[in-house]
Amino acid sequence: EIVLTQSPATLSLSPGERATLSCRASQSVSNYVVWYQQKPGQAPRLLIYDTSKRATGIPARFSGSGSGTDFTLTISRLEPEDFAVYYCQQRTSWPVFGQGTKLEI
Amino acid sequence: QAQLQQSGPGLVKPSQTLSLTCTVSGASITSGDHQWTWLRQPPGKGLEWIGHITNSGSTFYKPSPNSRPRISIDTSENQFSLTLTYVTAADTALYYCARGRWSGELSFDSWGQGTLVTVSS
């Protein structure tokens, strides 16, 4: 089973700053990764699919990149509503999620 | 985009059966090549995929030593369900239904609101 390691576990930034979240896979099984945002008391929300494609309604400040085993989610200028937990996901035989990065003010 | 509404009890006794239903609106459960999926999130932890069912009724579950989940589909009601037998405290979690779709990678683009299920006597 693939293991996805997200770093940092917690990222403390301020509105207007740039956020860079990392997701590293234990093995290279796909050139694609998916990113979700989850706010307290809410279901996860699809942000990025196929590594770099924004889901419907996702602002352009969210971008994804990477390949092989290293993937990155970048938020160019943080808005107050961006502070949440972010999960990456890939699939080998079944979908697997990283443990999450908490983006806090 | 599909809307998913979950229903089912929030408290289940140990060794009994957990049953949750996800009703889909805004989309037909029989259209498209989607994976109607159940996931869960134990308190304070990350997301775990449980399994999915397709509109043709094919199912796939995460391998488990004590494989207990069963996912079924009711196309007449546009809903799908999760049954988990012989639950223990380890099954206490926030359960989500979601719609999976394929592109380069499988992603979940619509989610239910979540149901907190506590296993306790």
Side-chain angles (χ1 to χ4, degrees):
Chain A
E1 180 179 337
I2 190 172
V3 175
L4 299 178
T5 301
Q6 292 186 241
S7 61
T10 304
L11 183 58
S12 300
L13 294 170
S14 299
E17 291 191 294
R18 180 185 185 91
T20 303
L21 288 67
S22 173
C23 177
R24 175 164 290 178
S26 58
Q27 55 185 300
S28 178
V29 294
S30 170
N31 274 324
Y32 300 113
V33 76
V34 184
W35 292 93
Y36 301 88
Q37 176 194 68
Q38 187 176 33
K39 296 180 180 179
Q42 296 185 18
R45 174 194 184 194
L46 177 64
L47 289 179
I48 300 286
Y49 66 98
D50 290 355
T51 302
S52 60
K53 298 176 182 177
R54 284 188 300 277
T56 303
I58 301 303
R61 64 180 182 273
F62 290 91
S63 63
S65 62
S67 65
T69 58
D70 292 307
F71 300 89
T72 300
L73 173 69
T74 302
I75 311 171
S76 58
R77 287 180 58 86
L78 286 165
E79 298 287 343
E81 62 267 27
D82 298 337
F83 292 90
V85 178
Y86 292 83
Y87 293 98
C88 60
Q89 175 233 310
Q90 262 195 344
R91 180 199 57 83
T92 51
S93 299
W94 59 86
V96 174
F97 296 81
Q99 83 282 11
T101 289
K102 182 179 182 181
L103 178 56
E104 63 177 23
I105 296 178
Chain B
Q1 196 147 344
Q3 289 81 49
L4 280 64
Q5 179 70 35
Q6 298 177 220
S7 58
L11 181 63
V12 182
K13 289 182 167 50
S15 79
Q16 294 195 344
T17 298
L18 178 162
S19 295
L20 297 172
T21 296
C22 185
T23 301
V24 180
S25 60
S28 171
I29 205 168
T30 59
S31 68
D33 184 21
H34 296 298
Q35 293 73 42
W36 302 100
T37 302
W38 287 97
L39 308 97
R40 68 183 182 180
Q41 187 171 33
K45 297 187 177 180
L47 294 157
E48 178 187 16
W49 181 84
I50 298 171
H52 73 235
I53 190 167
T54 66
N55 58 14
S56 63
S58 297
T59 53
F60 188 54
Y61 304 104
K62 179 180 177 180
S64 169
N66 304 306
S67 185
R68 296 170 290 125
R70 288 295 180 267
I71 299 175
S72 59
I73 194 168
D74 185 340
T75 56
S76 66
E77 297 291 336
N78 219 41
Q79 61 187 204
F80 61 107
S81 299
L82 169 70
T83 299
L84 188 64
T85 56
Y86 301 104
V87 296
T88 69
D91 295 309
T92 293
L94 189 53
Y95 285 77
Y96 291 104
C97 61
R99 183 178 76 172
R101 64 167 198 189
W102 276 107
S103 49
E105 177 58 88
L106 177 65
S107 62
F108 303 106
D109 64 350
S110 299
W111 294 69
Q113 79 277 20
T115 300
L116 178 60
V117 177
T118 302
V119 178
S120 174
S121 55

